[in-house]
Amino acid sequence: MGAALARAAQWTSAGAGRGTLEITPLNESLLNEIIRFVEGFSSRHPQEAAFVFREPLEWRTQLGCAAFGAGYQGDGTTVQSDAKSKDGQPLLLLTGSTIKVRSFDQLSYLLHIAMDKKLKEAQACLEANRDPIVNILGPGYGTIEGEDMSMLHLLDKVKKDDDPETEIKMKIFILLSQLDMQLLNSSLKHISQEVRLNPSAVNNEVNLLKHFSGKGEDTVLESLEYTSDYTFSNGCRAPPWRQMHGEICYLIIKPHDTDPLCVTCSTAGVYLNGGKLKEKDDIDYERKSDIYKDIVTFLREKSPKFVENMSKQEYNFFKETASEKYYQHMEAVDAEDSGQSQKPYDYTEKTIYEKTKSSSAKSKSADSKKLEPSLKWKNIVRCATYSDKVTKKDTEHGRRRSSASKKIKKKTTSISPEAASKCKTSEKDEEVSESSSETEEDEEQPERHQEGNIDLPSEYWQIQKLVKYLKGGNPTATVIALCSMKDFNLAQETCQLAIRDVGGLEVLINLLDTEEIKCQIGSLKILKEISQNSLIRHAIADLEGLQIMVKILESPDKDLKCLAAETIANVARFKRARRTIRQYGGIKRLVGLLEPIPVGSSALTPAQAKDFAIARSGALALWSCSKSTKNKEAILKAGGIPLLAKWLKCSHVNILTPVVGTLQECASEQSYRRAIRMEGMIEDLVKNLSSEHEELQMLCASAIFKCAEDKETRDLVRQHGGLQPLSVLLGNTENKQLLAAVTGAIWKCAISGENVSKLQEYKTLEALVGLLTDQPDEVLVNVVGALGECCQEQINRTIIRKCGGIPPLVKLLTGTDQALLVNVTKAVGACATEPENMMIIDRLDGVRLLWSLLKNPNPDVQASAAWAICPCIENAKDSGEMVRSFVGGLELIVNLLKSKNKEVLASVCAAITNIAKDEENLAVITDHGVVPLLSKLANTNNDKLRRHLAEAISHCCMWGSNRITFGETKAVAPLVRYLKSNDPSVHRATAQALYQLSEDPNNCITMHENGVVKLLLAMVGSTDETLQEAAAGCIANIRRLALATEKAKYG
Amino acid sequence: MSRKRLQQLTESLLRSARKEVERLIKLFNTLAAESRERFAAAAGLDRNMFRNILHCTFGMMDDMIMDRVFRAFDKDNDSCISVVEWVEGLSVFLRGTLEEKIKYCFEVYDLNGDGYISRDEMFHMLKNSLLKQPSEEDPDEGIKDLVEITLKKMDYDHDGKLSFLDFEKAVREENLLLEAFGPCLPDIKKTVSVFFCFFFFFAFFFHGYL
């Protein structure tokens, strides 16, 4: 209890000797705790409670004599207890207002009768007896700062003489120290919750609120003013004699809905004071309300209108200078540490960024977020005057300096929103040059902050010390420090960030620039580990560590090269790092590391093992680097492909994995795909599909997935027997990544018909159908894609039906993933070409689902759905009725003719062709204005669209005056030109359309004027009977019209 | 591989090793001759001559370490390095395996030769390894701390000093610790060039002679 009272309780500093306890929540809870302890004492420990104190506890009480009941004798001014100590002193003695108590029994009784004055009594007692233990047990047990030996003394005593009193003393002492512990714990909890304000935080808050106050309904406040314009040099506005009490400034706040509030901001928090005194120009400084942690919390409590308008403005807040979140993020920080109390800025920054993320496009936000740490680091580099070389050292002020630089950093970041946006644009420009296919693994983590000094782990200080030795040691000391640092758990984030925060990264990177191989190796060993953390990666790049590492790749020392490449492999997980590596010639050197060594399958000699490790690290680094398009080119130019091909022949998984990884990453480029085929790597890839390592299998499958875009490659996969291992791998449903890659490879391979029949042999289709349920989207996309390809063959469609694949497929139509929907619609469409399948689809209401996908915003999905609808209408029983049953469906599809996407247009035309086969539906779509919309599309050069458009026109001619309308909307002349196309299917469709249109005399005239006859005459000689017939019919119509005219003219 | 080829291979290896040893001996003779010229009456290289070589050729700086290296070379403690000692010592220097090097380094660092590297010895060797800060109260504190760090890292049996076993285990785990208490082996980067020049020079010299 002594320690708690001495340290935790808040004593006023006013009285020199006799301080008083302030009335603060903390003290109150302390007192309550003590009261509870004392009250319960006599019942819980009756023996100890009877113990007579060495000295009475003496204080001035407010209790009157009347309060004491039985067991006490009183005569007006004095009261004494019946119970007496051995030497005859009463255990409780009240004379006037002074009370003396000698045992716990009496103490608890006293508190019991004090009733609601308990708190006051306890307070008075403790104020009068700063260290009650001395009174209770004697001066030997006083609370001593630091090591407390009294317990041991007591124990010795107990051992020496078996006086029962010492034993009781011992027990009391233990009980009291338990209480002490308890009190300290609870006050610690209190303190850690407490918020300390400081002048700049208040000032910022006020400025911010000013921003949003003023006249008008939607501001948060009417006004907010300081009472004094004068600011002292420490940032406070309170007069100096009040600053002593921790007060910072006074505010007059006028909310919309209450009277003006006069508020004191002190280091303890914000509270209401007594307001302005009428006559004088002064303030009643007395506290009148609870203490709040900041102005906003205070206002939230006081003004409902404030809360309401605040929530309205929330969005604006984020967009403008700072955020309201800022306040909620305010941390418990030590008032002394001004460097840290600036922290809220960072949070402000971050919330802004996070908001932009949600409001703007994702890529943009990624940029802005990425920018944040880099800015900071640049500042640090600029601010901190660390010497460039380790030889120039400044050990001592490391810590102080880093905190100073932190301060500067905070300041700069606080003004940064505009600057950030500026930089963002410049950064963006550069990134446009990178490819869109680029994969970005490094999602920026939000920067976490150390929560005040309390939480710093012991590792932090140890690491700080080691960094000091790194800076101030010769190579020998440096190596020792490096080795010791390596023993920390570098995979742990606290250690990683500790190294960064104490300025260790700068030193480690500077060490790389020295001639000392040992220091370089040691430093790289650490960097390699900690670069697993993305914040560290960014920091390394910002400190220009990559440039040095790239330089090290030329070193003759093999260990060094190897470590450098491995570190590069870790760091190069984000775009900027990859660019830096390329720009400093790193790709060439990394490719250089792949120099082939003669490796047999036998065990390696140590020297070979080293070369091997180098090649492996080089491949790892290339793998990381190959995620940027330009780096892929650079690898190609540096002659990487033949080297990769050589290593691919080797049988060691360690190196195969990064090699295949690089290849599969690069296979997104056409040039690589060709090279992979030419160098005969497909064979090796196929071979490694049967490896024992899933990662390698996955990478191989994924490489095949990407390469199999080309027909030759697909054939090669088949010829090298790759389809069988692929189908076997389908059985591994645990590893989803592997499954996604394998199904992808099967999908692409299935584009070739020969492969499909092979796959049939391996019963792949059945396996694929089994994968239609309970798989993640990445897998489903590929599975469905593969099924879609296989369904091009009639036999497979039957297989799918027999395996029960149609219901899950139709179910997938309700999904949301765009890529998946494209594939699913395609597969369903392919299945629908079979009337028996169609029955199932119809029963499951699949057509309605397809139709609703026409509303999907993605044009690929729209087109794919429209294509799928065609066979459905064709094969469904009573399709006309079915189509009519979709409310608004026909209007929807007609409106899709306004799309800009050629594929969508072609597919919709095809669907309209099928719809128009039903007369009633044709009438409906005519009413929805299909004719002018089709005519508008007529001027196109796309053969696919031409063909389907012509078919749609020919079918739409069947209704009413549509033929005439087509003529009026000038669709005829462009159609004639279609006959000049090279595509025979266009010819056929066009001839049919023209035949239909020629039923109208005006159209015949237009056609004739456009020279249709000559073109049609050529078509009549075609081997295609439909075309022949249509062309001939059209000519006949034109001729008939001519004859009729002549007859009319010449009679 | 046939037995005959194996034999050929060993022979060629032996031959090249032999050549190397011959060269070292030639080198020794010249140096010893030079030493005799200056100090007379010495059957080999004396301390000063040897330290000179260490300094100029192998770039060693620390006097104490150089003395210890001399002691390590000078197996029979006669303050003079004989031709055998020279060849044996240099073979560790230039072609030594890790085991040989560990043994050698431990010998160098064990200043009083009692089989342990004690705290005091470490302190002595690391004395100059930290940049002195004038503002620090106890300038030795950093070094003491460094010694503690080293012990924590290398003293596996927790007896407060490094035995050979401790040292060997620590080095095997982390090769960087081989020269934990100061450079006592030729620095590869620096010496590769210097030593080859040295060799070349003498080779040339002798060929001219003979």
Side-chain angles (χ1 to χ4, degrees):
Chain A
M1 153 157 125
L5 285 175
R7 291 200 211 144
Q10 292 160 322
W11 300 91
T12 54
S13 48
R18 299 208 136 198
T20 50
L21 277 172
E22 274 184 291
I23 302 298
T24 60
L26 173 63
N27 281 347
E28 225 164 83
S29 72
L30 275 182
L31 286 176
N32 280 326
E33 199 91 26
I34 293 173
I35 290 170
R36 212 174 313 137
F37 172 75
V38 174
E39 273 187 324
F41 198 89
S42 59
S43 55
R44 262 182 295 161
H45 313 282
Q47 203 185 352
E48 283 79 17
F51 174 77
V52 180
F53 294 171
R54 183 74 164 267
E55 293 283 325
L57 289 170
E58 186 178 334
W59 72 93
R60 296 175 74 83
T61 178
Q62 293 178 347
L63 294 175
C65 308
F68 294 91
Y72 293 87
Q73 300 167 354
D75 56 359
T77 51
T78 56
V79 174
Q80 53 177 305
S81 60
D82 287 344
K84 298 232 164 35
S85 66
K86 275 182 219 152
D87 47 9
Q89 299 256 21
L91 289 180
L92 183 141
L93 180 68
L94 177 74
T95 28
S97 61
T98 316
I99 193 165
K100 289 182 182 178
V101 181
R102 283 171 184 274
S103 78
F104 275 111
D105 265 336
Q106 299 299 328
L107 266 183
S108 36
Y109 178 71
L110 188 86
L111 287 174
H112 180 65
I113 58 168
M115 311 293 275
D116 51 358
K117 287 187 202 147
K118 265 182 210 167
L119 210 63
K120 279 259 173 349
E121 286 305 309
Q123 189 188 349
C125 171
L126 291 173
E127 276 171 7
N129 307 285
R130 286 288 278 267
D131 201 346
I133 301 178
V134 177
N135 296 48
I136 297 171
L137 299 172
Y141 303 98
T143 309
I144 308 154
E145 288 287 324
E147 220 172 346
D148 196 348
M149 306 291 283
S150 48
M151 186 74 119
L152 297 178
H153 292 164
L154 202 61
L155 199 69
D156 281 349
K157 241 185 183 173
V158 173
K159 271 186 193 161
K160 262 183 248 159
D161 52 48
D162 38 16
D163 184 356
E165 198 183 62
T166 12
E167 211 176 28
I168 293 178
K169 258 189 180 178
M170 176 87 175
K171 279 185 190 159
I172 293 180
F173 191 71
I174 291 172
L175 286 170
L176 285 175
S177 48
Q178 267 173 6
L179 172 69
D180 205 6
M181 237 16 191
Q182 211 178 323
L183 289 176
L184 278 176
N185 276 339
S186 68
S187 58
L188 194 65
K189 250 182 245 160
H190 257 273
I191 290 169
S192 59
Q193 279 163 11
E194 211 171 333
V195 175
R196 288 271 172 175
L197 286 179
N198 66 352
S200 56
V202 171
N203 198 22
N204 287 315
E205 203 179 358
V206 169
N207 285 341
L208 179 74
L209 283 171
K210 272 188 179 165
H211 226 262
F212 297 102
S213 43
K215 299 275 175 228
E217 268 307 292
D218 46 16
T219 57
V220 292
L221 293 170
E222 224 172 280
S223 73
L224 169 94
E225 292 299 332
Y226 288 115
T227 53
S228 149
D229 289 331
Y230 182 73
T231 320
F232 288 88
S233 57
N234 59 1
C236 294
R237 286 165 195 262
W241 63 92
R242 296 301 304 174
Q243 283 183 26
M244 271 175 48
H245 300 273
E247 290 173 12
I248 297 166
C249 62
Y250 312 100
L251 291 166
I252 297 187
I253 303 173
K254 275 193 199 142
H256 283 297
D257 45 358
T258 55
D259 292 333
L261 304 165
C262 202
V263 168
T264 302
C265 301
S266 76
T267 49
V270 178
Y271 55 84
L272 201 63
N273 58 33
K276 264 208 156 100
L277 295 176
K278 281 281 149 56
E279 288 81 16
K280 288 176 277 174
D281 199 8
D282 211 337
I283 296 172
D284 179 5
Y285 295 112
E286 198 92 341
R287 182 158 66 84
K288 293 284 194 291
S289 73
D290 289 340
I291 299 178
Y292 297 90
K293 64 176 174 144
D294 53 36
I295 305 176
V296 170
T297 338
F298 172 79
L299 287 171
R300 274 181 181 280
E301 208 58 45
K302 296 285 171 199
S303 159
K305 186 81 179 174
F306 176 81
V307 181
E308 187 188 319
N309 286 348
M310 194 76 154
S311 56
K312 274 190 218 156
Q313 299 224 331
E314 214 125 31
Y315 183 67
N316 292 336
F317 265 52
F318 291 128
K319 289 213 110 176
E320 286 177 49
T321 47
S323 73
E324 187 255 346
K325 278 259 171 58
Y326 155 0
Y327 301 103
Q328 288 166 2
H329 279 302
M330 182 102 104
E331 287 167 285
V333 277
D334 241 321
E336 286 100 48
D337 196 339
S338 61
Q340 297 212 334
S341 56
Q342 291 268 348
K343 232 176 242 169
Y345 286 115
D346 272 358
Y347 277 107
T348 339
E349 280 260 308
K350 210 157 347 100
T351 33
I352 293 174
Y353 284 133
E354 268 153 24
K355 274 289 142 180
T356 36
K357 180 178 166 192
S358 62
S359 58
S360 67
K362 203 187 169 205
S363 66
K364 219 189 226 165
S365 78
D367 289 348
S368 67
K369 280 212 294 176
K370 210 178 299 153
L371 200 73
E372 188 187 21
S374 73
L375 250 188
K376 273 186 206 160
W377 278 104
K378 269 176 203 146
N379 284 326
I380 284 187
V381 176
R382 224 176 285 134
C383 303
T385 47
Y386 291 130
S387 51
D388 282 340
K389 294 271 169 180
V390 203
T391 41
K392 253 197 194 170
K393 272 136 191 186
D394 48 345
T395 41
E396 198 223 349
H397 296 302
R399 166 71 183 149
R400 210 174 296 164
R401 178 162 303 156
S402 78
S403 81
S405 68
K406 225 185 241 165
K407 230 183 278 176
I408 299 169
K409 167 183 82 181
K410 297 282 151 70
K411 266 183 203 141
T412 31
T413 42
S414 69
I415 51 146
S416 66
E418 296 92 339
S421 68
K422 224 178 269 168
C423 296
K424 185 163 64 187
T425 47
S426 69
E427 183 115 316
K428 270 212 92 169
D429 289 345
E430 275 183 83
E431 270 165 17
V432 169
S433 66
E434 301 271 353
S435 86
S436 56
S437 75
E438 206 141 309
T439 38
E440 191 71 20
E441 278 183 20
D442 242 17
E443 279 292 314
E444 187 64 41
Q445 299 174 358
E447 179 136 8
R448 243 168 282 156
H449 289 273
Q450 228 77 52
E451 310 263 322
N453 278 343
I454 331 156
D455 298 11
L456 287 176
S458 65
E459 288 102 329
Y460 181 89
W461 305 112
Q462 287 163 2
I463 287 175
Q464 186 183 45
K465 199 171 66 185
L466 288 176
V467 169
K468 195 172 94 181
Y469 297 141
L470 283 185
K471 276 194 240 173
N474 70 358
T476 309
T478 307
V479 168
I480 293 177
L482 285 171
C483 291
S484 170
M485 194 183 277
K486 230 185 72 197
D487 283 347
F488 283 94
N489 182 2
L490 294 177
Q492 198 184 328
E493 195 175 22
T494 41
C495 291
Q496 295 165 346
L497 294 183
I499 293 177
R500 187 193 69 172
D501 291 343
V502 299
L505 280 180
E506 288 93 330
V507 186
L508 288 174
I509 288 171
N510 283 342
L511 279 173
L512 295 182
D513 219 0
T514 58
E515 290 286 294
E516 293 291 335
I517 290 189
K518 290 188 172 186
C519 296
Q520 288 175 306
I521 289 181
S523 165
L524 276 175
K525 278 182 176 173
I526 292 169
L527 286 174
K528 186 182 99 181
E529 294 301 324
I530 60 177
S531 56
Q532 308 281 354
N533 181 317
S534 85
L535 290 172
I536 301 283
R537 290 200 282 270
H538 284 268
I540 292 177
D542 290 332
L543 292 167
E544 311 198 332
L546 284 169
Q547 284 87 325
I548 305 173
M549 283 189 250
V550 167
K551 211 159 70 191
I552 289 179
L553 292 178
E554 299 246 289
S555 149
D557 190 281
K558 288 178 177 175
D559 289 328
L560 201 55
K561 269 199 278 198
C562 193
L563 283 166
E566 282 178 64
T567 316
I568 288 178
N570 280 341
V571 177
R573 292 204 208 145
F574 64 106
K575 216 179 280 176
R576 189 159 46 87
R578 293 196 281 262
R579 192 171 56 223
T580 313
I581 293 168
R582 184 180 65 243
Q583 283 165 352
Y584 284 82
I587 300 289
K588 213 170 181 179
R589 291 177 199 184
L590 288 173
V591 169
L593 296 185
L594 291 180
E595 262 337 304
I597 51 163
V599 194
S601 49
S602 59
L604 300 166
T605 65
Q608 273 180 327
K610 210 163 246 182
D611 288 333
F612 191 74
I614 289 180
R616 175 174 174 269
S617 61
L620 276 171
L622 283 178
W623 187 6
S624 291
C625 287
S626 64
K627 288 181 175 107
S628 292
T629 319
K630 284 200 178 162
N631 282 353
K632 291 175 195 171
E633 275 170 40
I635 296 173
L636 193 67
K637 269 191 208 141
I641 291 191
L643 292 174
L644 287 170
K646 284 231 172 67
W647 281 107
L648 195 60
K649 303 254 182 251
C650 126
S651 56
H652 297 264
V653 185
N654 284 347
I655 192 155
L656 276 174
T657 310
V659 165
V660 179
T662 314
L663 284 174
Q664 68 93 14
E665 207 61 69
C666 291
S668 59
E669 300 293 299
Q670 176 61 40
S671 48
Y672 271 91
R673 292 202 289 267
R674 203 172 48 241
I676 288 173
R677 192 177 69 233
M678 300 300 215
E679 295 272 348
M681 288 194 245
I682 297 292
E683 185 179 357
D684 299 304
L685 289 175
V686 166
K687 194 179 77 199
N688 285 317
L689 277 177
S690 318
S691 153
E692 287 167 7
H693 296 261
E694 290 193 351
E695 191 184 5
L696 183 55
Q697 291 177 327
M698 190 265 285
L699 292 170
C700 287
S702 148
I704 292 175
F705 178 21
K706 287 180 182 164
C707 290
E709 296 279 353
D710 310 334
K711 183 168 185 318
E712 290 93 331
T713 308
R714 293 197 286 268
D715 293 341
L716 279 174
V717 172
R718 183 183 64 249
Q719 282 154 22
H720 292 299
L723 294 172
Q724 188 176 14
L726 281 175
S727 345
V728 170
L729 283 175
L730 282 181
N732 183 345
T733 50
E734 289 308 306
N735 186 340
K736 299 298 174 197
Q737 263 182 312
L738 173 62
L739 201 57
V742 169
T743 47
I746 293 181
W747 170 20
K748 293 299 173 185
C749 288
I751 296 174
S752 289
E754 295 96 322
N755 287 350
V756 174
S757 35
K758 267 277 181 215
L759 288 173
Q760 244 165 292
E761 243 172 72
Y762 303 127
K763 305 239 177 269
T764 315
L765 230 61
E766 287 83 342
L768 284 174
V769 169
L771 292 173
L772 276 175
T773 41
D774 297 333
Q775 297 295 337
D777 278 356
E778 310 88 90
V779 178
L780 281 175
V781 171
N782 297 340
V783 170
V784 175
L787 287 177
E789 291 303 334
C790 294
C791 283
Q792 306 303 325
E793 294 199 12
Q794 199 246 327
I795 179 160
N796 289 335
R797 294 196 282 266
T798 323
I799 293 178
I800 288 185
R801 184 183 67 239
K802 286 188 177 146
C803 302
I806 292 176
L809 273 178
V810 172
K811 208 170 153 209
L812 286 176
L813 285 174
T814 53
T816 49
D817 186 89
Q818 312 275 350
L820 178 58
L821 284 175
V822 171
N823 283 353
V824 175
T825 44
K826 192 173 177 200
V828 172
C831 289
T833 46
E834 205 75 13
E836 274 181 76
N837 290 356
M838 190 54 224
M839 269 162 56
I840 304 175
I841 294 173
D842 197 14
R843 199 169 59 230
L844 296 166
D845 217 6
V847 187
R848 184 187 296 277
L849 291 172
L850 280 176
W851 211 286
S852 59
L853 284 178
L854 293 175
K855 288 186 220 158
N856 193 297
N858 185 336
D860 293 337
V861 179
Q862 290 174 350
S864 185
W867 285 122
I869 285 173
C870 303
C872 290
I873 299 177
E874 232 169 287
N875 294 313
K877 260 195 230 155
D878 203 7
S879 64
E881 189 52 45
M882 177 185 77
V883 171
R884 271 193 297 285
S885 70
F886 304 139
V887 179
L890 290 172
E891 188 178 4
L892 175 68
I893 204 162
V894 169
N895 279 333
L896 274 181
L897 286 174
K898 292 172 189 157
S899 164
K900 296 265 182 296
N901 186 307
K902 289 275 187 307
E903 186 68 21
V904 174
L905 291 173
S907 62
V908 171
C909 286
I912 286 179
T913 312
N914 284 304
I915 292 168
K917 284 174 188 163
D918 182 275
E919 211 167 47
E920 229 173 291
N921 289 337
L922 177 55
V924 177
I925 57 172
T926 308
D927 288 345
H928 286 307
V930 75
V931 176
L933 283 171
L934 287 175
S935 307
K936 215 179 270 174
L937 299 175
N939 280 311
T940 176
N941 293 322
N942 184 319
D943 273 342
K944 195 170 184 186
L945 177 55
R946 281 176 165 184
R947 173 184 157 201
H948 293 286
L949 180 62
E951 278 177 6
I953 289 178
S954 77
H955 280 91
C956 286
C957 283
M958 309 292 192
W959 179 257
S961 59
N962 281 359
R963 289 192 182 88
I964 303 165
T965 327
F966 276 122
E968 284 164 357
T969 48
K970 301 193 171 38
V972 179
L975 270 178
V976 174
R977 281 199 296 280
Y978 289 6
L979 291 176
K980 290 175 188 158
S981 151
N982 296 323
D983 188 348
S985 61
V986 175
H987 294 167
R988 177 169 13 158
T990 312
Q992 281 172 311
L994 287 176
Y995 171 60
Q996 288 296 335
L997 289 168
S998 62
E999 303 274 329
D1000 176 56
N1002 282 329
N1003 288 346
C1004 288
I1005 297 168
T1006 323
M1007 284 180 217
H1008 194 258
E1009 277 168 1
N1010 282 288
V1012 79
V1013 179
K1014 203 172 164 196
L1015 292 165
L1016 280 176
L1017 279 174
M1019 304 287 162
V1020 174
S1022 158
T1023 48
D1024 181 349
E1025 282 184 17
T1026 331
L1027 176 58
Q1028 266 181 5
E1029 215 170 296
C1034 186
I1035 294 174
N1037 282 338
I1038 296 172
R1039 185 69 206 137
R1040 219 171 284 142
L1041 177 68
L1043 286 175
T1045 340
E1046 260 171 48
K1047 210 178 202 175
K1049 256 189 195 165
Y1050 307 111
Chain B
M1 234 184 260
S2 70
R3 176 167 277 181
K4 201 175 171 191
R5 279 210 54 200
L6 264 176
Q7 208 169 355
Q8 278 177 348
L9 198 67
T10 33
E11 261 170 37
S12 78
L13 277 175
L14 282 178
R15 221 175 299 135
S16 62
R18 187 175 175 152
K19 234 182 226 165
E20 230 169 325
V21 173
E22 276 169 7
R23 279 203 194 133
L24 282 177
I25 294 172
K26 274 181 194 165
L27 185 58
F28 176 80
N29 287 336
T30 350
L31 291 168
E34 204 178 305
S35 145
R36 256 198 302 278
E37 254 167 50
R38 279 198 280 165
F39 306 102
L45 296 173
D46 68 347
R47 185 179 291 256
N48 279 332
M49 189 69 189
F50 186 72
R51 280 176 52 160
N52 210 16
I53 297 166
L54 286 180
H55 183 74
C56 302
T57 318
F58 298 117
M60 288 187 196
M61 313 284 258
D62 192 334
D63 280 342
M64 185 184 56
I65 297 277
M66 281 199 280
D67 264 341
R68 290 298 309 164
V69 173
F70 179 78
R71 300 290 292 272
F73 266 62
D74 183 18
K75 296 247 164 50
D76 56 5
N77 271 332
D78 63 350
S79 304
C80 180
I81 291 174
S82 68
V83 70
V84 177
E85 285 163 353
W86 166 258
V87 172
E88 279 177 358
L90 276 189
S91 90
V92 175
F93 251 39
L94 303 171
R95 291 268 185 273
T97 62
L98 187 60
E99 288 90 81
E100 285 168 337
K101 282 181 181 169
I102 293 173
K103 213 164 157 208
Y104 158 81
C105 284
F106 186 80
E107 235 167 89
V108 170
Y109 295 142
D110 180 13
L111 298 182
N112 58 7
D114 65 349
Y116 292 102
I117 306 177
S118 68
R119 269 202 174 82
D120 287 343
E121 283 168 335
M122 279 184 221
F123 183 83
H124 205 58
M125 289 184 284
L126 294 175
K127 203 163 47 183
N128 298 318
S129 68
L130 285 181
L131 207 71
K132 288 267 163 34
Q133 288 292 328
S135 56
E136 254 167 67
E137 310 101 49
D138 183 3
D140 289 342
E141 199 180 296
I143 313 231
K144 280 181 193 155
D145 195 31
L146 205 57
V147 170
E148 290 312 313
I149 291 174
T150 318
L151 272 176
K152 191 176 152 207
K153 173 111 190 97
M154 301 174 78
D155 183 16
Y156 286 94
D157 52 14
H158 303 292
D159 58 354
K161 52 192 178 179
L162 294 187
S163 63
F164 180 71
L165 283 178
D166 285 334
F167 188 74
E168 191 187 14
K169 194 171 171 195
V171 174
R172 282 195 189 280
E173 213 153 87
E174 176 52 83
N175 288 340
L176 291 178
L177 287 172
L178 181 60
E179 291 177 85
F181 305 106
C184 59
L185 283 168
D187 183 342
I188 299 168
K189 220 181 201 171
K190 276 184 212 153
T191 46
V192 160
S193 48
V194 180
F195 203 71
F196 274 112
C197 289
F198 192 78
F199 252 136
F200 259 110
F201 172 74
F202 278 99
F204 182 76
F205 186 75
F206 280 107
H207 279 294
Y209 242 178
L210 302 171

